[in-house]
Amino acid sequence: METIKGYVEHIVYRNEENGYTVFHLNIDEGDLTCVGKLHYIEEGGLLELTGEYTTHRLYGTQLQIASARMCEPEDLVSIERYLGSGAVKGVGASLAGKIVKKFREDTFRIIEEEPERLAEIKGISERKAREISLQVEEKKDMRQAMLYLQKFGISITLAVRIYQHYGQSVYRVIEENPYQLADHVSGIGFKTADELAAKVGIHTDSDYRIRSGIFYTLLQSVGEGHVYMNQDVLLYRASLLLGVEIKDIEKYLQDLAMEKKIVLKREAALDEGVAQAGGEGAGLRIYASRYYYLELNTAKMLHDLNIHEDILKDRAKERLCAIEERTGLALDSHQQAAVMEAAGNGITIVTGGPGTGKTTTINAMIHFFEGEGMDILLAAPTGRAAKRMTEATGYEAQTIHRLLEVNGNPEEEGNTGFQRNAENPLEADAIIIDEMSMVDLPLMHALLSAAVPGMRLVLVGDVNQLPSVGPGSVLKDLIRSGCFPVVMLTKIFRQAGESDIVVNAHRINRGEEVVLDNRSQDFFFLKRHEPDVIISVLLTLIQKKLPKYVEAESCDIQVLTPMRKGLLGVERLNRILQEYLNPPDKNKQEKEAGERLFREGDKVMQIKNNYQLEWEIKTRYGMTVDKGLGIFNGDMGIIKSINTYEETVTVEYDEKRLVKYPYSLLEELELAYAITIHKAQGSEYPAVVIPLLRGPRQLYNRNLLYTAVTRAKRCVTLVGSDAVFQDMIRNADEQARNTSLAERICEMN
């Protein structure tokens, strides 16, 4: 790393959205081209930069900036450069020279305190003198705030966000309660605010710190899928985080409740089934306010939609028989019951495992609703699931986000994030949602907000799949409430019954032992017990054996693993698989981002929801035919190009959607040759390969194994310990989620 100091001579290029800037820095040896993400610099400014020299094939030597610090002009040359740089409108190099020549080191004081004296210089009127003073004062406020924040190790990027939010109040906020930053400024969490507070000198037992730590702990539990925490668990975790013993926690909870950040609710579970849905049952529950009201309002909207309509059952059955005869669909009694329930109820839930005819049931419902002259919308939580739904039904299905027309960030408090909402509802008579186990509480709330009473809402999913990545356990809670018609599909149809993937998935779900004799056509277990041997087998399967066997490309074969860390975790597997499946090539551009290396041709995954990223679909000639906003957690694509001059990485997702990532957003991407089983929810692959050695019991359970196996369409191959495999089948323990949607629903009835 090199550290240099110089003046910003000329800004060549600037992206206002992400701060990416190309500029010339004047140093003793001449001008140097610098590139990096700087949200606040201006021509004439004095900067101290740390970075590494790189050689661009077109633009020569450049400094790739790692960090930047603003400096006050230190001498007459600096002052003259700053004033004449264009930073102050109406002051060019010549006029700046005259001002500094007359007032010398006193220049800034004169401009700020006696601006009328500028009129002593030929070419400056009293009016212009006042304008110069005003501009310098405005720039000074911002510059001083930047310098002040930099003293605490805050980057220019974050400093700009802080100043834009607080303005001149920033000094009071930092010195009195820097924990406010975690609530108000994007990119600052509790830990950053805590480090800042320590530098300012705030004590570890400060009330501000303890309240902020408790709230941060509560939000961390939301990231684990919970909607609330029990008081004793919250107290224990917050104490560990803060490193202090929290006495009189009631006081802090009451303070947070008065600030409307949390809701306290003491309640006993309504019955045994609902108690399970609520995690630990009775006691004082602590909710982040947003999630309490999301549950409450979701329950209210479900209640309003849950309208029963008496239908002529004989007539409906006749119509259903006619549909079967016309389309060739053959429905069993449960599937027929599902269609009948959907015909007469505002909300119908259909659940079943693989091969039980969920898709056939959806098709029958579509034909039935069409026969009634109803407008139908189909949707699923992910692009892959929506694509499968389209292929299986012949009707267009969309992601729920696209159906609701995402236009902002619904994860921000007070922001609906969708154009379709209560004021602008969906225009349909029936909505069918597939893969409901993946739908979390915020997304369900958004969907219901755009529905109106009188609509038919059909929710289809496998209740035995892993719960959603986001908070809540919506499908399970709806079923547990006992307030909606639920049809369980249990019969495995003949064609599906010929697949050992389907048969063994049901055995796993029932806790029955699976025979691993490799006499199957689509379910294999290769016993290996050394991590590196297992990885070698994975590579052989992906590169040589499976592509021909399942008639797919090697990039379509997915490695699914239970964990992120460890010898068979996502992080290590991806580094090794990248080396063999997409090795370095002089014709392929690369970009290092933190500990990750991205290369053209790599398979990658988006790892957080980004509602602002724009995607485009282009023709082969480069014309844009469609575009929209939003790339979501779990979306997978291929790196098509890396542009080192623009500093962008272009990824192609499903449906040929192209997204340009600035280097600054590469933290949202990771390699996806191997992904966790959780991330594979809602997806289906021609073949999956699952490495399996001993791991944490609370993670290595039946639910996880069942989800992994059911991701394969044509072939599943497990490589590892058969003892671990059978232990997972026997382990029916699931990590309970603290949710209370079932209780809220019951309260409405």
Side-chain angles (χ1 to χ4, degrees):
M1 287 282 186
E2 299 285 339
T3 299
I4 58 171
K5 200 171 188 179
Y7 305 97
V8 179
E9 186 72 29
H10 174 57
I11 295 176
V12 178
Y13 170 79
R14 180 172 180 75
N15 184 322
E16 294 296 338
E17 288 184 10
N18 60 34
Y20 175 69
T21 309
V22 180
F23 62 96
H24 296 150
L25 191 77
N26 186 266
I27 55 178
D28 292 340
E29 294 79 10
D31 282 356
L32 172 68
T33 300
C34 301
V35 294
K37 188 176 178 184
L38 297 172
H39 275 274
Y40 182 77
I41 63 166
E42 53 190 19
E43 292 180 350
L46 182 62
L47 295 180
E48 183 178 273
L49 305 175
T50 300
E52 291 185 349
Y53 289 108
T54 60
T55 303
H56 193 281
R57 55 194 173 92
L58 294 178
Y59 304 104
T61 301
Q62 299 179 338
L63 183 77
Q64 188 74 43
I65 300 167
S67 64
R69 186 174 70 84
M70 296 173 60
C71 306
E72 285 280 20
E74 298 169 329
D75 50 37
L76 296 182
V77 174
S78 305
I79 296 169
E80 185 177 333
R81 274 180 177 277
Y82 176 74
L83 290 176
S85 67
V88 180
K89 288 180 183 176
V91 179
S94 174
L95 195 53
K98 292 178 184 177
I99 294 171
V100 174
K101 185 176 181 181
K102 181 168 181 64
F103 298 115
R104 303 189 64 75
E105 289 86 353
D106 219 18
T107 296
F108 278 128
R109 188 194 66 76
I110 294 292
I111 291 173
E112 291 163 15
E113 298 176 10
E114 302 176 70
E116 67 279 358
R117 289 191 58 192
L118 291 174
E120 297 172 15
I121 297 170
K122 188 176 180 181
I124 299 181
S125 64
E126 288 188 11
R127 179 182 173 184
K128 188 169 185 176
R130 285 193 298 273
E131 288 175 353
I132 291 171
S133 176
L134 188 63
Q135 285 188 67
V136 169
E137 189 66 31
E138 287 174 350
K139 301 275 185 181
K140 178 189 173 189
D141 288 344
M142 177 76 160
R143 192 168 62 250
Q144 285 182 338
M146 297 294 104
L147 292 167
Y148 170 76
L149 292 168
Q150 282 176 190
K151 287 193 303 183
F152 301 109
I154 296 173
S155 69
I156 290 179
T157 303
L158 276 181
V160 169
R161 286 188 207 155
I162 293 168
Y163 185 79
Q164 285 173 342
H165 186 86
Y166 292 107
Q168 288 300 99
S169 303
V170 67
Y171 307 99
R172 177 181 56 77
V173 169
I174 296 294
E175 287 163 18
E176 290 180 8
N177 180 15
Y179 295 99
Q180 290 181 49
L181 301 179
D183 296 336
H184 300 145
V185 181
S186 172
I188 296 185
F190 170 79
K191 292 187 176 177
T192 303
D194 201 33
E195 289 171 8
L196 181 55
K199 291 173 183 174
V200 174
I202 291 175
H203 293 297
T204 55
D205 60 354
S206 151
D207 283 0
Y208 289 136
R209 181 171 186 263
I210 291 175
R211 284 207 303 270
S212 184
I214 289 170
F215 189 63
Y216 172 78
T217 304
L218 189 58
L219 292 184
Q220 288 295 102
S221 79
V222 171
E224 297 166 11
H226 302 297
V227 176
Y228 70 84
M229 289 185 80
N230 287 295
Q231 179 179 317
D232 54 347
V233 178
L234 175 60
L235 175 61
Y236 174 73
R237 286 202 191 178
S239 293
L240 286 179
L241 171 76
L242 296 165
V244 297
E245 186 179 339
I246 303 177
K247 299 169 183 173
D248 190 20
I249 191 171
E250 290 281 355
K251 168 186 177 297
Y252 299 110
L253 294 179
Q254 292 300 332
D255 288 345
L256 287 166
M258 288 175 68
E259 292 173 26
K260 297 192 179 337
K261 285 188 172 182
I262 67 171
V263 172
L264 310 175
K265 199 160 181 69
R266 191 178 298 279
E267 57 192 333
L270 300 178
D271 58 47
E272 186 179 344
V274 174
Q276 290 175 349
E280 296 176 37
L284 185 63
R285 298 173 179 179
I286 322 295
Y287 297 77
S289 292
R290 176 172 183 244
Y291 294 96
Y292 175 79
Y293 289 108
L294 277 177
E295 266 198 347
L296 191 63
N297 293 331
T298 296
K300 174 68 167 64
M301 291 185 288
L302 284 165
H303 175 268
D304 292 346
L305 279 175
N306 191 25
I307 300 170
H308 176 75
E309 182 182 316
D310 288 328
I311 59 171
L312 297 173
K313 291 187 178 178
D314 290 342
R315 177 178 169 272
K317 281 184 180 177
E318 283 178 16
R319 292 203 50 246
L320 197 50
C321 289
I323 289 168
E324 289 184 75
E325 191 173 327
R326 186 176 76 251
T327 61
L329 295 172
L331 307 179
D332 73 357
S333 60
H334 288 91
Q335 292 172 309
Q336 290 175 350
V339 178
M340 299 291 283
E341 292 287 7
N345 290 284
I347 296 175
T348 303
I349 298 166
V350 181
T351 182
T356 57
K358 294 191 297 294
T359 299
T360 301
T361 307
I362 290 173
N363 276 318
M365 286 179 180
I366 291 170
H367 288 295
F368 190 94
F369 288 147
E370 276 192 326
E372 296 288 306
M374 299 167 74
D375 292 325
I376 309 159
L377 292 173
L378 306 182
T382 66
R384 283 174 175 262
K387 185 179 179 183
R388 282 210 329 270
M389 199 178 186
T390 299
E391 291 168 352
T393 64
Y395 290 78
E396 184 191 1
Q398 306 172 69
T399 63
I400 299 173
H401 285 91
R402 198 166 183 191
L403 179 76
L404 298 176
E405 299 172 26
V406 65
N407 69 343
N409 185 355
E411 292 174 7
E412 290 177 359
E413 197 162 350
N415 183 5
T416 64
F418 297 104
Q419 290 186 47
R420 293 291 184 174
N421 48 43
E423 285 73 42
N424 181 29
L426 291 165
E427 296 168 11
D429 301 303
I431 303 172
I432 303 175
I433 307 294
D434 198 9
E435 294 288 355
M436 261 303 296
S437 62
M438 294 183 65
V439 176
D440 62 17
L441 179 64
L443 189 57
M444 187 64 179
H445 183 274
L447 176 65
L448 294 171
S449 297
V452 294
M455 277 184 178
R456 299 287 189 269
L457 181 60
V458 181
L459 308 175
V460 183
D462 185 347
V463 76
N464 293 306
Q465 297 282 2
L466 289 168
S468 58
V469 174
S473 188
V474 174
L475 181 61
K476 286 183 179 178
D477 281 357
L478 264 61
I479 294 171
R480 283 173 177 152
S481 73
C483 295
F484 309 103
V486 178
V487 179
M488 301 272 188
L489 303 180
T490 55
K491 179 183 175 183
I492 301 175
F493 286 87
R494 184 181 60 80
Q495 188 174 355
E498 294 170 0
S499 163
D500 285 317
I501 295 174
V502 172
V503 171
N504 287 337
H506 284 276
R507 283 179 179 156
I508 290 167
N509 192 43
R510 292 192 298 266
E512 298 171 4
E513 189 169 326
V514 173
V515 177
L516 304 176
D517 58 8
N518 287 335
R519 293 178 182 175
S520 169
Q521 297 294 308
D522 60 5
F523 193 100
F524 303 99
F525 199 107
L526 307 179
K527 297 176 186 178
R528 305 289 188 275
H529 299 282
E530 295 296 326
D532 289 344
V533 173
I534 290 172
I535 293 171
S536 177
V537 172
L538 296 186
L539 286 166
T540 302
L541 288 168
I542 296 167
Q543 290 180 300
K544 299 175 181 176
K545 303 288 186 184
L546 287 174
K548 287 182 181 177
Y549 191 72
V550 298
E551 299 177 341
E553 300 293 323
S554 60
C555 63
D556 295 323
I557 295 160
Q558 189 61 52
V559 176
L560 303 180
T561 183
M563 297 193 296
R564 290 195 56 80
K565 306 285 186 184
L567 295 175
L568 292 176
V570 163
E571 293 173 8
R572 181 170 187 250
L573 283 175
N574 271 320
R575 288 194 294 270
I576 296 170
L577 293 172
Q578 180 191 44
E579 185 180 339
Y580 285 92
L581 300 179
N582 188 29
D585 186 311
K586 65 180 185 341
N587 296 317
K588 289 183 178 181
Q589 292 284 359
E590 296 181 353
K591 170 59 185 171
E592 206 168 331
E595 296 181 359
R596 300 166 183 164
L597 175 69
F598 295 109
R599 183 176 296 131
E600 289 175 347
D602 275 338
K603 183 156 70 166
V604 292
M605 173 183 278
Q606 175 78 11
I607 57 172
K608 64 178 287 190
N609 289 338
N610 187 322
Y611 299 91
Q612 306 303 326
L613 267 176
E614 186 172 294
W615 53 262
E616 292 184 309
I617 298 176
K618 295 186 175 184
T619 66
R620 59 188 295 189
Y621 303 107
M623 291 182 61
T624 299
V625 293
D626 194 9
K627 62 182 179 179
L629 290 174
I631 297 296
F632 306 109
N633 190 356
D635 284 353
M636 290 173 64
I638 302 291
I639 294 178
K640 303 304 286 185
S641 65
I642 297 175
N643 188 319
T644 54
Y645 180 67
E646 277 188 1
E647 298 209 332
T648 58
V649 173
T650 300
V651 178
E652 183 179 291
Y653 288 100
D654 289 335
E655 302 171 337
K656 305 290 184 185
R657 293 175 300 152
L658 294 170
V659 177
K660 268 190 181 181
Y661 286 82
Y663 282 178
S664 59
L665 282 183
L666 291 183
E667 63 190 22
E668 296 186 6
L669 284 179
E670 69 179 21
L671 295 174
Y673 297 100
I675 63 174
T676 63
I677 296 166
H678 278 85
K679 290 284 190 182
Q681 287 173 269
S683 296
E684 189 177 71
Y685 309 95
V688 300
V689 185
I690 306 166
L692 212 55
L693 284 181
R694 188 68 61 187
R697 179 175 169 77
Q698 67 269 28
L699 177 64
Y700 278 52
N701 58 30
R702 181 187 301 170
N703 195 213
L704 189 83
L705 184 60
Y706 173 79
T707 300
V709 166
T710 54
R711 299 307 90 205
K713 189 174 181 181
R714 295 179 210 142
C715 179
V716 60
T717 307
L718 296 105
V719 187
S721 165
D722 55 328
V724 171
F725 177 81
Q726 302 294 2
D727 282 349
M728 288 180 76
I729 295 174
R730 289 189 287 269
N731 181 13
D733 294 340
E734 292 179 38
Q735 187 175 3
R737 285 196 168 187
N738 290 338
T739 68
S740 48
L741 179 60
E743 294 167 53
R744 301 286 87 84
I745 292 168
C746 290
E747 290 169 357
M748 297 286 171
N749 288 278

